Amino acid sequence: MVATSQPSLSTPKSIWPRLAVAIGVLLAVLVLVLLFFPWDLLRMPLNRYVSEKTGRQFEITRHLDVRPGWRGATIVFDGVDFANPPWAREPYLVRAKRAEFEIRLWPLLSGQVVIPRLAMVSPTMGLQMEEDGRRTWALGKDTGDTSTVPTIGLLQVDGGGVNFLAEHLGVDIHADFSYDTTRGDLPLDFRVKGKYQRQPLTAEGRTGNVLQLTSAGQPPFPLEIKAAAGKTQLSAQGTVAALADLDGIDAQFQVKGQTLGDLYPLLGIALPQTSPYSLDGKLGKRGKLWEVKDMQGRLGLSDIAGDMRFDQAPKTPRLEGTLRSKVMDMDDLGPLIGLPPTERSAKAIEGVEAPPTIAQVKRARGEPARKVLPTATLDFERLRAMNAEVQYTADKIRNVRDVPLDRGSVRVKLLDSVLTLDPLDLGVANGKVAGAIRIDARQDPADIRASLDIRNMQINRLIPKVDTLKTSFGKLDGRINLSGRGKSVASWLGGASGDVAAVTGHGEFSNLLLEFAGLDGGEVIKFILRGDKTVTLRCAAVAFDVNRGVAQGRGLVFDTTDTVFNATGQANFANETMRFVIDQKPKDMSILSVRTPLIVGGTFGSPTFGVEPGPLAARGLTALALGAISPLLSLAATFESGPGVDADCKAVLAEASKPTTAEAAKGAAKATGARQPQN
């Protein structure tokens, strides 16, 4: 048998080495082609391609070079002009002597432009954003399409300038850059001028020559800045991780200005109007959360310290924190209720232009010099801008003048446009005023309610001038329950309804003061010759029904062992006028008495004091008639037999215990609801 030969079969192992060699050769050839390819031949085609795709003129003016890499490529434009869309103010988006940038290749397949690094020599840039979303740096024909906006990591410049315009945001700024290696770690100097939030802006500072626009795993870059926007001045030193959204901030800051309220248009934080301020502390930002730690400084004449957090992540931003003053000056409270600062507060912070004082504002408005209630419109719109919860405590209060405040604390809560001060706790005259105030800014005018209790206040501290007459009063208790609607403190009180009452029991005070008040000449002479004595206070009550801004006295009694005083009358908050008639009835006999009802009238800012002319004239005519018979008989007209009787103290206190009119009772009940959770 003859054996037949079989054809030989190539094994796979004999194919793969040759295939690998072929692929290697092809890759080597490709690399050599990429390395030595005359890329400048593509300059003109690239100019036409980019111009057609973007709808605006693009030109590499001198040379094009490409350096391929494993993940992307480094592209160098020797001279570049890239025009802005026709609607922009500036003619060029970028115009630079040289631009070098890295570009990722794989994201290009999905239409994304990712540039980890962009370096430019002497660029001029024209950035503009419109309210409808258009922006000049969107690379497609549709400049409102955010998917065509490139992602840029690091930006490096050695000089040049940038213009940025966003009219709908009130932003129009120009920045100039200069680079100098002799400046050490901060070689890039910048100067900014223009408008921010429609307020004049100037800024200057230094940074590293590489700016990180977006977080890309790089270390934060150093930054120093001094800026002034409107009346607000800022200086900061620290690091920033991402410049595009100001993320990864760690800095020490100092800020000062005329009022914290000016930060609302600048930063969107709805802080109250205040006296001029100066604050410093540590500023940090991670994502949407801003934090201020170890803050300390001054608000006018008052010191302040604490920590604050501002979270922009929720649909409605939220502010929270704890603040404390060792000493709070009463002059600094005026701006909180719509009053300009006093001259002392306005000039308290060095380096801050003093704002108009309360006296200057009134002169400019032509307001009466003695207008008392604040008429400035409160900016309730800001209450709709954010939510907040802040605890504030003042260990000591000074410069109290007419109201002896000792200390104070309040928790401020702002939720869904409703501001509550609850609990509000003030130390007054060794006693306290405690309660709540609620402002509902969802309505226009705002619904305002105040419910306050008065406990154990020493009357001699409430009336310090009486202390010179060796007065030793008892203690005062009372309440204020008012509700109404308004746009200012004055307009609210001018239409408010509710209940105001204060009562006191036993105490002692100067008899000399009492006789002066009762126009008892004989008793005054006696006490001057023999020395002043004290008299016992049996009880006293001051109670008002407040009906739509008119406080009508329902129980005005002051009863002592010497004299009982009964008063009638009213005070009008709308026009700040008052008229009260005080009738005094002595409980002892006296000569040289010209007792007649006292009249307290005029305005809150300029009260008048007088006597009822009728009874006084009658006594005068009687004295003249009797004097014609005998001079001694004329004294009979000033003789007081003492018809006064003790007041029924239980009835007095009962009358002061609750409102007597339906409107006042309704307003008081509504006010007490300020202390309860609101739906």
Side-chain angles (χ1 to χ4, degrees), residues 259-264 268-274 308 319 382 386:
T259 170
L260 285 174
D262 285 347
L263 296 181
Y264 176 63
I269 305 176
L271 298 176
Q273 299 296 324
T274 66
M308 301 292 290
L319 176 71
R382 300 189 179 196
M386 70 179 193

Side-chain angles (χ1 to χ4, degrees), residues 164-207:
F164 180 73
L165 174 64
E167 287 185 323
H168 63 291
L169 300 177
V171 179
D172 185 358
I173 59 177
H174 173 78
D176 288 314
F177 298 91
S178 65
Y179 184 76
D180 188 346
T181 56
T182 63
R183 299 185 183 124
D185 294 334
L186 301 172
L188 188 64
D189 180 273
F190 62 87
R191 295 181 182 272
V192 180
K193 189 174 182 180
K195 289 186 177 181
Y196 180 75
Q197 297 292 354
R198 298 178 178 83
Q199 298 188 47
L201 169 70
T202 59
E204 62 180 31
R206 300 186 304 157
T207 182

Side-chain angles (χ1 to χ4, degrees), residues 309-611:
R309 292 161 50 95
F310 184 58
D311 191 356
Q312 294 177 303
K315 181 178 179 181
T316 302
R318 177 177 175 82
L319 176 71
E320 59 185 31
T322 303
L323 299 174
R324 193 177 200 96
S325 295
K326 294 180 180 178
V327 180
M328 191 273 285
D329 194 288
M330 282 290 291
D331 273 12
D332 298 321
L333 292 182
L336 296 177
I337 57 173
L339 289 174
T342 65
E343 186 173 358
R344 294 173 67 245
S345 290
K347 299 179 179 179
I349 303 300
E350 185 178 354
V352 174
E353 179 184 348
T357 66
I358 185 170
Q360 292 171 333
V361 170
K362 287 185 174 182
R363 284 197 299 268
R365 293 176 180 173
E367 295 181 1
R370 294 184 177 272
K371 198 74 171 176
V372 173
L373 300 178
T375 59
T377 300
L378 301 176
D379 190 356
F380 296 120
E381 180 63 32
R382 300 189 179 196
L383 301 185
R384 305 180 183 102
M386 70 179 193
N387 294 326
E389 185 166 354
V390 178
Q391 178 71 38
Y392 173 73
T393 302
D395 297 334
K396 181 180 179 182
I397 302 177
R398 70 181 179 192
N399 189 34
V400 294
R401 296 195 180 104
D402 297 329
V403 181
L405 285 170
D406 304 315
R407 54 165 184 81
S409 67
V410 62
R411 186 181 68 139
V412 181
K413 187 174 182 180
L414 176 58
L415 180 63
D416 298 333
S417 305
V418 178
L419 176 68
T420 57
L421 281 64
D422 185 12
L424 173 63
D425 187 351
L426 303 176
V428 184
N430 296 107
K432 67 185 299 184
V433 175
I437 296 175
R438 179 177 184 269
I439 300 175
D440 187 348
R442 295 172 297 184
Q443 307 179 45
D444 188 18
D447 179 8
I448 305 175
R449 309 176 188 182
S451 180
L452 302 171
D453 288 332
I454 301 167
R455 294 288 180 264
N456 298 319
M457 289 198 300
Q458 291 185 355
I459 303 178
N460 62 329
R461 289 201 61 204
L462 286 174
I463 315 175
K465 293 181 180 179
V466 177
D467 189 56
T468 60
L469 299 176
K470 301 179 182 179
T471 303
S472 178
F473 280 95
K475 294 183 177 181
L476 184 72
D477 294 320
R479 65 185 177 277
I480 299 172
N481 290 312
L482 294 174
S483 63
R485 298 178 65 178
K487 294 186 176 182
S488 67
V489 174
S491 65
W492 169 59
L493 288 175
S497 297
D499 169 40
V500 177
V503 298
T504 185
H506 286 276
E508 294 182 345
F509 63 100
S510 167
N511 205 0
L512 180 58
L513 172 67
L514 189 67
E515 302 305 337
F516 269 119
L519 301 180
D520 192 336
E523 292 295 320
V524 170
I525 293 174
K526 180 177 68 176
F527 287 122
I528 290 177
L529 294 176
R530 296 182 179 178
D532 190 13
K533 296 183 180 180
T534 59
V535 65
T536 299
L537 171 68
R538 298 184 65 249
C539 62
V542 178
F544 294 92
D545 284 346
V546 183
N547 300 312
R548 300 182 186 276
V550 178
Q552 183 70 47
R554 69 170 182 265
L556 307 175
V557 179
F558 192 84
D559 185 28
T560 74
T561 53
D562 182 86
T563 304
V564 58
F565 294 84
N566 290 279
T568 58
Q570 66 180 26
N572 190 316
F573 291 114
N575 56 25
E576 296 194 18
T577 61
M578 59 183 172
R579 178 177 171 80
F580 293 96
V581 179
I582 304 173
D583 186 27
Q584 65 274 22
K585 299 294 185 182
K587 299 180 181 179
D588 58 356
M589 292 186 296
S590 179
I591 199 168
L592 295 180
S593 175
V594 289
R595 297 184 194 272
T596 186
L598 302 175
I599 305 296
V600 179
T603 65
F604 294 175
S606 182
T608 59
F609 303 91
V611 295

Side-chain angles (χ1 to χ4, degrees), residues 32-105:
L32 291 173
V33 169
L34 291 175
L35 290 176
F36 296 101
F37 184 82
W39 293 102
D40 203 46
L41 294 176
L42 299 179
R43 180 167 60 89
M44 298 305 293
L46 183 61
N47 289 344
R48 290 192 296 270
Y49 177 79
V50 176
S51 297
E52 191 277 328
K53 284 294 184 181
T54 61
R56 41 184 154 146
Q57 184 65 33
F58 174 82
E59 183 180 5
I60 304 170
T61 59
R62 288 184 292 274
H63 300 289
L64 167 66
D65 189 21
V66 177
R67 297 193 291 269
W70 289 110
R71 300 178 59 188
T74 299
I75 301 175
V76 180
F77 297 153
D78 187 9
V80 60
D81 290 345
F82 192 9
N84 263 326
W87 50 264
R89 181 182 65 181
E90 301 297 326
Y92 291 100
L93 172 64
V94 177
R95 196 174 203 185
K97 293 180 179 180
R98 178 184 172 89
E100 179 179 314
F101 61 95
E102 298 175 14
I103 188 168
R104 294 282 185 256
L105 298 179

